[in-house]
Amino acid sequence: MAQVQKPSIPKGTRDFSPEQMAGRNYIFDTIRSVFKNYGYKPIETPSMENLSTLLGKYGEEGDKLLFKILNSGDAFSGISTADLSKLISQAPESSLTPEINSNALSLRVCEKGLRYDLTVPFARYVVQHRNEITFPFKRYQIQPVWRADRPQKGRYREFYQCDVDVIGSNSLLNELELVQIVDDVFRAFGINICIKINNRKILSGLAEAMGFPDKLVDITIAMDKIDKIGIEAVKEEMLARSIDKKGFSVLEPVLSFKGTTAQKLALIGNVVAGSSSGCAGVEELKALFNLIDEAQISQQVEIDLSLARGLNYYTGAIFEVKALDFTIGSICGGGRYDNLTGIFGLPDVSGVGISFGADRIYDVLLGLEKFPKEAIGGTKVLLSNLDEASAAYLLPLANKLRKNNISCELYPDVAKLKKQFEYAQKNSIPYFVIAGESEVNAGTVNIKNLTTGEQITVPLAEAHVSCQW
Amino acid sequence: MAQVQKPSIPKGTRDFSPEQMAGRNYIFDTIRSVFKNYGYKPIETPSMENLSTLLGKYGEEGDKLLFKILNSGDAFSGISTADLSKLISQAPESSLTPEINSNALSLRVCEKGLRYDLTVPFARYVVQHRNEITFPFKRYQIQPVWRADRPQKGRYREFYQCDVDVIGSNSLLNELELVQIVDDVFRAFGINICIKINNRKILSGLAEAMGFPDKLVDITIAMDKIDKIGIEAVKEEMLARSIDKKGFSVLEPVLSFKGTTAQKLALIGNVVAGSSSGCAGVEELKALFNLIDEAQISQQVEIDLSLARGLNYYTGAIFEVKALDFTIGSICGGGRYDNLTGIFGLPDVSGVGISFGADRIYDVLLGLEKFPKEAIGGTKVLLSNLDEASAAYLLPLANKLRKNNISCELYPDVAKLKKQFEYAQKNSIPYFVIAGESEVNAGTVNIKNLTTGEQITVPLAEAHVSCQW
């Protein structure tokens, strides 16, 4: 135990300092209070899920990004030790690709994985607890997820998701409610946003109109990149995915169209007129925008016919939220899924939800200097400790301040006033109450306002009131 | 993706329902608000730490209970595939114990582990961020920890710890503050407790007085079981650990002594009189109880000379909290440690802290029916949805209620009143606002108080006020 190590944390993970935590808690508290206001209820699921729950739900790429947990106890027992020693020292020599065996061996010694998102665990939860749940079930969940992605700026291996979903209801009022929640959350944050909405049924209709109804996934994957790579590159990617120029020529005017909501609905209505799915999507979008108009959303809401969202499980409305005054990817996204619980044995349950990206919202609030001072403030009052007698003299004041919910600290060690003063400054504590021998004898305290530099002397018995001047 | 699975979660882990979450959030919020009131600041550390940070910190037993995470990507690459296939199918055949090789192989393929407690990550944090931190550093941390323990009633593989520590100060005022925090937290919960205090230096003095100064760990391990197994069994265990009867005869009267604080201090002062460590411990305990007397703690606080606490890193005061009206293990515990950060290269930094056991506190609050109704309440008002027109009629009321922070839900689907009524009942929603065709035409709503069964009819414009009658 005596060996000294240079401490560090795994790459892609983070420590959060008190200052960062104050900002993060402000974000979580704000989001949570809006969720509650709309009647959503919190649940939590375990950090570890059985690998059988997670595997195959996020595509091949996602499977590779799962963090697997070694079985506890003797994970490699039942495996010959002679083989083990060879295994530790030797290089590959077989024609089998190492990867295949590595996966098989991983599954042999790992039964559990860290959760990759909150959606699949939620689906698992709903099916497992179906008999205890009253549908429609409105739940929110704010927990970390883990992905073995290559770490880079703004991409972490551990990060929080804030999900809100309603499951067991087909009504478009739920989609409206999510738009209202997004509106309320970002209005509370003071962040100007645009809520972009599209519908997966329209995308299906587009694929039909393009002549490639079976290439919906390829089309959405390519479309999803339009913001990053531009329309020409999207075209090239589609050609590479065997979608011909004629097909793309149907899509192109849709992607580049600018106009009002009514004009967009008219345009896309014409393009997908031959597809029943497409027409259903246009009807849903129309009805949703009628509701949105009536509900008087305070922020920008628009149809974005180029919006695709990568995840395959969406089947209806899809959402994405962009910050207007700060350049960053989408800060919120979601959509309707019609059969997420089917994989766990409960078919035909429709749900819709959105997820708030806490890390990006943090960056936006920080960049736009929108964190409210009172939200991130800590201790209000520091009480000096100049000797044992003066500390004892101030202890009852500390208790009185706390009873009045004014957070305070009695400096724990007898130390020079300068050191205690610096402690107050470094911790942004606005009031410093000082009592030396003469104040103890006089029954008074000096209160220094460290923001203005003013100092007053008041009787000890009144000090708890004066600390708020 | 079409295969249907019966969903389940790993043993020893838990899903938390909305009802459970409400209770848990009440616990965390209460604890957090007290911590803040005393000027403690939140930090968070990653769920994963490097195994080098964790290994060797919790004893051999603890190392075995760490959850290890398989390296991402191709964890077994560089290992021959021929060996891999043998490895998967064959039984042990070597004379080497499989365990040793399993451990070595684990370390070859796992670099990270899930955090086992919050104390070691905190020590790592302090050393890593020493240049950003102003000492004394008062921090709290509320996060889950993971242990590969055998699951049993009340023992989980994933559970939350709520730790509060101050590091970089030797003052006993910190010990007092922790006692005050414990007092405030459990007074807020309405749980009657006894705070038991002892001092590790006294235990060292006792070991000296017993003639076994080098057997302090054995003595504390045996003493720690006194509540579970009784004094006779503790004696037997000590004899088995080579502590003779003469040595135990010094300890026995100390363990069985009943008396006042002053009497206990006098007794132990005599017993450890020949040990400088023991005398220092008695002096610390005496000074702490003087502070406690002055601070007017509302709950029971007593010296417990049989209190040992298992963890080796404690060096001064040790604490344990018991619920008086409910049978369960300790619900809170901690102590002073003088060199926790030494292992990470920062010696001679003293700290003291305690940890609240949220799961046990939950059980006590539930068992004593102490969860306040308002703390665990959800949606206040359900608005009916009888047809499209009546839903549109009630939507503005929903917005108005939410603007007044009255959480409400508009039932999303058009459904029979009975179904919506049941939804309100099952979700314990106290008010049900109903508007059918006649109410829409009259500009009114019916409000049913589901607690009393009363119903009133009011104009729509006044309904947001009436929902609080």
Side-chain angles (χ1 to χ4, degrees):
Chain A
M1 260 193 71
Q3 199 185 342
V4 170
Q5 307 164 351
K6 193 178 160 238
S8 67
I9 53 176
K11 62 179 177 179
T13 69
R14 292 166 289 173
D15 281 328
F16 293 109
S17 69
E19 294 70 33
Q20 291 167 320
M21 281 302 298
R24 290 171 67 82
N25 284 338
Y26 165 67
I27 292 171
F28 295 133
D29 289 346
T30 304
I31 291 175
R32 195 181 287 122
S33 73
V34 174
F35 290 170
K36 283 171 88 166
N37 216 7
Y38 283 79
Y40 289 79
K41 297 176 188 70
I43 69 161
E44 285 190 0
T45 61
S47 302
M48 307 170 180
E49 293 275 355
N50 292 321
L51 275 177
S52 56
T53 299
L54 301 173
L55 284 168
K57 309 303 186 299
Y58 307 105
E60 250 179 77
E61 211 41 51
D63 281 355
K64 285 185 196 157
L65 300 183
L66 292 173
F67 277 112
K68 300 189 186 80
I69 295 163
L70 199 67
N71 293 341
S72 50
D74 206 357
F76 292 93
S77 69
I79 296 173
S80 95
T81 49
D83 288 340
L84 285 185
S85 30
K86 282 188 215 155
L87 187 83
I88 292 165
S89 56
Q90 289 182 12
E93 59 191 27
S94 152
S95 62
L96 286 166
T97 71
E99 201 183 326
I100 293 168
N101 278 302
S102 188
N103 280 345
L105 187 50
S106 298
L107 292 177
R108 173 82 191 273
V109 296
C110 299
E111 283 164 3
K112 296 179 287 289
L114 292 176
R115 95 186 134 234
Y116 180 89
D117 71 359
L118 301 179
T119 308
V120 167
F122 175 51
R124 194 265 312 144
Y125 179 96
V126 167
V127 177
Q128 192 174 329
H129 301 280
R130 61 215 277 183
N131 296 324
E132 305 142 41
I133 292 172
T134 307
F135 293 96
F137 181 45
K138 301 171 79 168
R139 89 84 171 79
Y140 71 86
Q141 191 169 355
I142 300 179
Q143 290 192 277
V145 301
W146 294 268
R147 295 182 186 179
D149 247 324
R150 195 136 49 91
Q152 59 186 62
K153 193 181 176 314
R155 192 198 283 164
Y156 304 101
R157 293 186 145 190
E158 174 177 42
F159 58 97
Y160 269 76
Q161 290 192 334
C162 312
D163 277 23
V164 60
D165 291 78
V166 52
I167 194 159
S169 165
N170 293 305
S171 167
L172 284 174
L173 285 172
N174 299 302
E175 274 85 343
L176 170 66
E177 192 162 275
L178 294 180
V179 170
Q180 290 179 300
I181 285 174
V182 169
D183 187 33
D184 283 7
V185 165
F186 289 104
R187 197 171 56 235
F189 287 141
I191 298 178
N192 295 318
I193 53 160
C194 178
I195 306 172
K196 292 162 180 284
I197 306 180
N198 200 2
N199 192 299
R200 266 291 169 99
K201 295 191 181 84
I202 290 178
L203 295 175
S204 298
L206 267 170
E208 285 179 48
M210 290 163 72
F212 294 90
D214 52 343
K215 289 215 175 275
L216 177 59
V217 173
D218 288 294
I219 293 169
T220 54
I221 288 174
M223 276 176 66
D224 217 25
K225 302 180 181 165
I226 194 163
D227 274 1
K228 281 184 198 156
I229 63 177
I231 195 159
E232 277 309 310
V234 168
K235 181 178 180 179
E236 273 168 45
E237 179 155 345
M238 291 214 182
L239 295 175
R241 288 171 182 267
S242 312
I243 291 151
D244 61 15
K245 282 188 186 172
K246 185 160 166 265
F248 187 76
S249 73
V250 175
L251 186 62
E252 193 168 18
V254 174
L255 294 185
S256 55
F257 184 76
K258 310 265 179 248
T260 63
T261 297
Q263 287 167 338
K264 285 176 189 167
L265 285 168
L267 172 86
I268 193 67
N270 282 332
V271 175
V272 302
S275 154
S276 62
S277 165
C279 291
V282 173
E283 283 313 305
E284 282 180 19
L285 211 48
K286 204 176 281 181
L288 177 56
F289 270 84
N290 280 340
L291 288 171
I292 287 171
D293 283 346
E294 279 168 36
Q296 296 174 308
I297 305 299
S298 70
Q299 305 244 27
Q300 237 176 274
V301 191
E302 64 174 41
I303 294 178
D304 181 349
L305 293 171
S306 73
L307 181 65
R309 305 264 321 145
L311 287 166
N312 286 330
Y313 51 68
Y314 292 127
T315 51
I318 47 180
F319 306 97
E320 212 161 88
V321 178
K322 299 259 181 193
L324 292 179
D325 309 320
F326 194 83
T327 307
I328 202 163
S330 74
I331 50 181
C332 189
R336 177 171 288 276
Y337 42 86
D338 276 344
N339 199 22
L340 195 66
T341 56
I343 181 77
F344 298 116
L346 186 67
D348 303 324
V349 182
S350 187
V352 57
I354 47 169
S355 184
F356 289 79
D359 287 298
R360 285 185 175 171
I361 293 171
Y362 184 96
D363 289 344
V364 176
L365 286 167
L366 196 69
L368 298 176
E369 296 181 13
K370 293 280 189 183
F371 277 117
K373 265 194 185 161
E374 60 282 10
I376 55 175
T379 302
K380 286 283 170 303
V381 183
L382 179 68
L383 310 178
S384 71
N385 184 349
L386 298 174
D387 53 42
E388 212 175 302
S390 77
Y393 174 75
L394 289 177
L395 255 180
L397 172 60
N399 291 340
K400 211 188 271 180
L401 287 167
R402 289 175 191 136
K403 284 217 171 89
N404 288 284
N405 283 316
I406 300 168
S407 65
C408 69
E409 299 176 45
L410 176 64
Y411 195 84
D413 301 282
V414 175
K416 287 196 175 143
L417 201 58
K418 184 164 175 284
K419 192 176 177 190
Q420 300 184 38
F421 185 77
E422 281 170 7
Y423 178 86
Q425 283 187 312
K426 285 194 179 154
N427 285 289
S428 307
I429 302 174
Y431 296 101
F432 188 20
V433 173
I434 306 150
E437 203 183 335
S438 57
E439 284 79 22
V440 173
N441 290 334
T444 61
V445 296
N446 298 322
I447 306 178
K448 199 171 174 70
N449 180 327
L450 298 184
T451 317
T452 65
E454 285 175 280
Q455 183 169 315
I456 56 172
T457 302
V458 298
L460 177 65
E462 291 168 19
H464 63 291
V465 182
S466 306
C467 279
Q468 300 173 85
W469 105 84
Chain B
M1 260 193 72
Q3 197 185 343
V4 170
Q5 306 163 352
K6 193 178 162 239
S8 66
I9 53 176
K11 61 179 177 177
T13 69
R14 292 166 289 173
D15 282 328
F16 294 108
S17 69
E19 293 71 31
Q20 291 167 320
M21 281 302 297
R24 290 170 67 82
N25 285 339
Y26 165 68
I27 292 171
F28 295 134
D29 290 346
T30 303
I31 290 175
R32 195 181 287 122
S33 73
V34 174
F35 290 170
K36 285 172 89 166
N37 216 9
Y38 282 81
Y40 289 78
K41 297 177 186 68
I43 69 162
E44 284 190 2
T45 61
S47 302
M48 306 170 181
E49 293 275 354
N50 292 320
L51 275 178
S52 57
T53 299
L54 301 174
L55 284 169
K57 306 305 186 300
Y58 307 104
E60 250 179 75
E61 211 40 52
D63 281 356
K64 285 185 195 158
L65 300 183
L66 292 172
F67 276 112
K68 301 190 184 79
I69 295 162
L70 201 67
N71 293 340
S72 50
D74 208 355
F76 292 93
S77 69
I79 296 173
S80 96
T81 49
D83 287 338
L84 284 184
S85 31
K86 283 186 215 158
L87 188 83
I88 291 165
S89 56
Q90 289 181 13
E93 58 191 29
S94 152
S95 63
L96 285 168
T97 73
E99 200 183 326
I100 294 169
N101 277 301
S102 187
N103 280 346
L105 186 50
S106 298
L107 292 177
R108 172 82 192 274
V109 296
C110 298
E111 283 164 3
K112 297 179 285 291
L114 293 176
R115 94 184 135 236
Y116 179 89
D117 71 1
L118 302 178
T119 308
V120 168
F122 174 52
R124 194 265 312 144
Y125 179 98
V126 167
V127 177
Q128 193 174 330
H129 301 279
R130 60 214 276 182
N131 296 326
E132 305 143 39
I133 291 173
T134 307
F135 293 95
F137 182 44
K138 302 171 78 170
R139 89 86 173 75
Y140 72 86
Q141 191 169 354
I142 300 178
Q143 289 193 279
V145 301
W146 295 267
R147 297 183 185 178
D149 248 324
R150 196 136 50 93
Q152 57 186 62
K153 193 182 176 309
R155 192 198 283 164
Y156 304 102
R157 292 185 146 190
E158 174 177 41
F159 59 96
Y160 269 76
Q161 290 192 333
C162 312
D163 277 23
V164 60
D165 291 80
V166 52
I167 195 161
S169 166
N170 293 304
S171 167
L172 285 174
L173 284 171
N174 300 300
E175 273 85 343
L176 169 67
E177 192 162 274
L178 295 181
V179 170
Q180 290 180 301
I181 286 174
V182 169
D183 187 33
D184 283 7
V185 165
F186 289 103
R187 198 171 55 236
F189 286 143
I191 299 178
N192 296 317
I193 53 159
C194 177
I195 307 173
K196 292 160 181 285
I197 306 181
N198 200 3
N199 193 298
R200 266 294 169 99
K201 295 191 182 83
I202 289 177
L203 295 175
S204 297
L206 266 170
E208 286 179 47
M210 289 164 71
F212 295 92
D214 52 341
K215 288 214 175 278
L216 177 60
V217 173
D218 288 295
I219 293 169
T220 53
I221 289 174
M223 274 176 66
D224 217 24
K225 300 178 182 167
I226 194 163
D227 274 1
K228 281 184 200 157
I229 62 176
I231 195 160
E232 276 309 309
V234 167
K235 182 179 179 178
E236 273 167 44
E237 180 156 344
M238 292 216 181
L239 295 176
R241 288 170 182 267
S242 310
I243 291 151
D244 60 16
K245 282 188 187 174
K246 190 163 161 261
F248 187 75
S249 73
V250 174
L251 185 63
E252 193 168 18
V254 173
L255 295 185
S256 54
F257 184 76
K258 310 266 180 246
T260 64
T261 297
Q263 288 166 338
K264 283 176 188 167
L265 286 168
L267 172 86
I268 193 70
N270 282 332
V271 174
V272 301
S275 153
S276 62
S277 165
C279 291
V282 173
E283 283 313 304
E284 282 180 20
L285 210 48
K286 205 177 279 180
L288 177 56
F289 270 84
N290 280 339
L291 289 170
I292 287 171
D293 282 346
E294 278 169 37
Q296 297 173 308
I297 305 301
S298 71
Q299 304 244 28
Q300 237 175 276
V301 191
E302 64 173 41
I303 294 177
D304 181 349
L305 294 170
S306 73
L307 181 66
R309 304 264 324 144
L311 286 167
N312 287 328
Y313 52 69
Y314 292 127
T315 51
I318 46 179
F319 306 96
E320 213 161 88
V321 177
K322 299 261 179 189
L324 291 180
D325 309 320
F326 194 82
T327 307
I328 202 165
S330 74
I331 51 181
C332 191
R336 178 172 287 276
Y337 40 86
D338 275 346
N339 198 23
L340 196 65
T341 57
I343 182 78
F344 298 116
L346 187 65
D348 303 324
V349 182
S350 187
V352 57
I354 47 169
S355 183
F356 288 79
D359 288 297
R360 286 186 176 171
I361 293 171
Y362 183 95
D363 289 342
V364 176
L365 286 167
L366 197 68
L368 298 176
E369 296 182 12
K370 293 280 189 184
F371 277 118
K373 264 192 185 161
E374 61 281 11
I376 54 176
T379 302
K380 285 284 171 301
V381 184
L382 180 69
L383 309 178
S384 71
N385 186 348
L386 297 174
D387 54 43
E388 214 176 300
S390 78
Y393 174 75
L394 289 178
L395 255 181
L397 173 58
N399 291 340
K400 211 187 272 179
L401 287 167
R402 289 175 190 136
K403 284 218 168 90
N404 288 283
N405 284 316
I406 299 168
S407 64
C408 70
E409 300 176 45
L410 176 64
Y411 195 84
D413 301 283
V414 174
K416 287 199 174 139
L417 201 58
K418 185 164 174 283
K419 194 178 177 188
Q420 301 184 38
F421 185 76
E422 281 169 4
Y423 178 85
Q425 283 188 310
K426 285 195 179 155
N427 285 289
S428 307
I429 302 174
Y431 296 101
F432 188 20
V433 172
I434 307 151
E437 202 182 335
S438 57
E439 285 79 21
V440 173
N441 290 336
T444 61
V445 297
N446 299 322
I447 307 179
K448 200 172 174 67
N449 180 326
L450 298 185
T451 317
T452 64
E454 286 176 279
Q455 184 169 315
I456 56 174
T457 302
V458 298
L460 177 65
E462 292 168 19
H464 63 292
V465 181
S466 306
C467 278
Q468 300 173 85
W469 104 86

